[in-house]
Amino acid sequence: MAILLGDVAGKTVGRGWVMAAKKQVVGVVGAGVMGVGVCENLLQHGYRPILVDISNDALEGARDQIRRSLGARAMFAKAKGGEPTSTTLEHLTVSTDYQLLAKVDLVIENVNEDIDLKRSVFELLDAVTASACILVANTSCIPITKLGSFTKRPDKVIGVHFMNPVPLKDTVEVIPGCLTSDETIAETRKFLDELGKNYVIVNDSPGFISNRVLMLTINESIFLLHEGVAEAEKVDTIFKSCFGHKMGPLETADLIGLDTILDSLKVLLTCFGDSKFRPCPLLEKMVDAGLVGRKSGRGFYSY
Amino acid sequence: MSTIHERIRAYLERSLRQLELDDDTDIFANGMVDSLFAVQLVAFTEQEFGVAVVDDDLDLANFRSINDLANFVGRKRTGV
């Protein structure tokens, strides 16, 4: 399939498709934190992402953020004596029109962690994309088999849980659904190789490995704050100084976004029906107040 | 109203959790910041001071210290 083969200009490859003298066009759905990070990472590796969202404002904000981010990272890399990275936005397309995804070989979906919303997006992607197109779900917690069931191609639906910030995190969690084909897994692995990502393949289950454990840790840390056991800095210091973690759970929550944490806990609570996943009332209150972390300028810390 | 220096200092001290920063402290030295912070600093500059940071501006000389950033903002605002 074309996606595996990068920029082999003009040769007949894979299933007989002729590659253009350009790198792969990849669809990206959702212009939030993760969609922006994925686009940025694709641009850095020479891909030509088409970013689709229902909101023009979100798309323009995303373009601006990607421009700023590519530039700042290139500046930082230069300061550290590293290789210069691409700062060009020329290869980025943003649009509210899903039809632009009709000819792509792979789409990475990054919409909010809400099963009904994901259902509508996967149904739409199933209708507009070519039948051979792989649909990658970049989800925090929602089972991939469930997402595959919203399409007529569950064999081509796979989970890739990118970490935030996407350009900085070298390892992703890969989750085949129950019906995901070996071919889809192989093609996804090759795509990730090209994107410079390492991956750990795990079986499908709500929250996979990472967020089943992390969401509980973060939620319990918020309970500690809520109950007045310790303030945020102390909770994070314990994890950093005693366990050697690079960031504490509350700093991590601010980076992920408290709205996403809350959504993820709700998905885990629904899927497992286990009260250990009930969101802390303080988390709900902070999300209601708009104090959702770095992206809003304030969460457990100010930015 | 706070001066440009004061607003930059308040932001950096809060973000980097540093109690005191000299006007000439190089925040990019000694591993004080990472590339994630570099992105936030550019966003802060644009949003706080209403200036557009274009490709040619993305030079560490404009962002290295409180003085460097204040001078950069001053130049952008006066169109120099």
Side-chain angles (χ1 to χ4, degrees):
Chain A
M1 195 168 169
I3 190 165
L4 314 183
L5 298 155
D7 46 2
V8 280
K11 291 180 185 167
T12 302
V13 294
R15 294 172 181 166
W17 299 3
V18 177
M19 293 290 296
K22 298 169 184 167
K23 262 214 175 179
Q24 178 81 12
V25 177
V26 172
V28 179
V29 177
V33 171
M34 294 309 288
V36 164
V38 166
C39 278
E40 190 186 338
N41 210 183
L42 288 167
L43 288 165
Q44 285 174 326
H45 286 81
Y47 286 89
R48 307 171 79 88
I50 299 175
L51 175 62
V52 176
D53 195 286
I54 53 168
S55 161
N56 267 317
D57 285 350
L59 289 168
E60 283 317 306
R63 182 193 282 280
D64 207 35
Q65 210 174 322
I66 292 166
R67 172 190 61 77
R68 189 188 288 141
S69 193
L70 283 172
R73 286 193 211 287
M75 178 175 76
F76 186 84
K78 194 174 153 196
K80 296 287 162 195
E83 289 291 310
T85 55
S86 167
T87 59
T88 181
L89 282 187
E90 185 187 325
H91 295 158
L92 174 69
T93 302
V94 301
S95 176
T96 55
D97 184 3
Y98 273 78
Q99 293 298 333
L100 291 189
L101 305 179
K103 292 183 181 170
V104 303
D105 300 320
L106 182 138
V107 175
I108 303 171
E109 168 280 319
N110 311 268
V111 304
N112 289 358
E113 199 67 359
D114 173 314
I115 291 182
D116 291 335
L117 178 60
K118 296 259 193 204
R119 174 199 283 268
S120 63
V121 168
F122 272 84
E123 285 174 351
L124 192 53
L125 288 173
D126 199 31
V128 301
T129 59
S131 59
C133 177
I134 292 177
L135 304 179
V136 172
N138 181 12
T139 172
S140 303
C141 287
I142 299 173
I144 304 308
T145 308
K146 169 79 76 185
L147 297 174
S149 75
F150 301 147
T151 72
K152 295 184 186 72
R153 63 181 95 177
D155 57 317
K156 299 211 172 295
V157 175
I158 188 166
V160 175
H161 180 202
F162 288 90
M163 307 294 157
N164 179 28
V166 179
L168 298 184
K169 298 293 184 183
D170 292 336
T171 303
V172 299
E173 213 172 8
V174 171
I175 312 101
C178 192
L179 300 175
T180 306
S181 69
D182 289 345
E183 186 188 8
T184 298
I185 297 170
E187 288 172 357
T188 303
R189 291 173 67 157
K190 287 178 186 168
F191 167 65
L192 291 171
D193 286 340
E194 280 203 3
L195 201 57
K197 297 293 189 202
N198 304 313
Y199 42 83
V200 179
I201 302 180
V202 303
N203 289 326
D204 193 20
S205 178
F208 325 119
I209 303 290
S210 57
N211 278 337
R212 184 157 164 191
V213 175
L214 180 64
M215 292 301 145
L216 278 180
T217 306
I218 289 174
N219 198 39
E220 206 58 33
S221 300
I222 302 171
F223 270 113
L224 288 169
L225 206 59
H226 185 56
E227 294 164 13
V229 178
E231 53 264 38
E233 288 87 352
K234 287 185 181 171
V235 174
D236 284 335
T237 298
I238 297 280
F239 279 82
K240 289 188 287 189
S241 300
C242 301
F243 299 153
H245 291 194
K246 196 172 174 193
M247 294 174 77
L250 297 172
E251 291 170 301
T252 305
D254 274 358
L255 179 63
I256 293 171
L258 303 198
D259 48 349
T260 300
I261 303 282
L262 180 59
D263 288 344
S264 298
L265 283 164
K266 286 177 177 171
V267 170
L268 289 166
L269 183 62
T270 303
C271 290
F272 285 112
D274 188 332
S275 63
K276 72 183 177 186
F277 294 107
R278 78 220 177 282
C280 175
L282 176 60
L283 173 61
E284 302 231 27
K285 187 192 282 187
M286 290 179 73
V287 171
D288 287 343
L291 307 177
V292 294
R294 281 180 187 255
K295 64 187 171 187
S296 71
R298 192 174 151 201
F300 296 110
Y301 299 91
S302 292
Y303 300 93
Chain B
M1 182 153 171
S2 307
T3 65
I4 294 174
H5 273 81
E6 286 166 349
R7 286 154 73 185
I8 295 170
R9 176 189 306 288
Y11 172 73
L12 289 177
E13 289 183 349
R14 189 173 70 239
S15 304
L16 302 177
R17 292 177 214 156
Q18 295 278 325
L19 291 180
E20 286 184 16
L21 278 176
D22 290 338
D23 282 353
D24 288 315
T25 300
D26 182 348
I27 60 166
F28 284 87
N30 307 321
M32 201 184 285
V33 303
D34 56 15
S35 70
L36 183 61
F37 183 75
V39 176
Q40 289 170 350
L41 184 59
V42 172
F44 163 80
T45 305
E46 292 194 330
Q47 286 156 8
E48 178 77 12
F49 300 109
V51 299
V53 178
V54 298
D55 277 1
D56 287 347
D57 299 327
L58 288 165
D59 186 324
L60 216 57
N62 292 328
F63 295 91
R64 206 185 293 272
S65 67
I66 294 172
N67 268 340
D68 288 340
L69 185 51
N71 290 337
F72 168 68
V73 170
R75 285 198 305 277
K76 290 296 281 189
R77 284 180 154 182
T78 54
V80 177

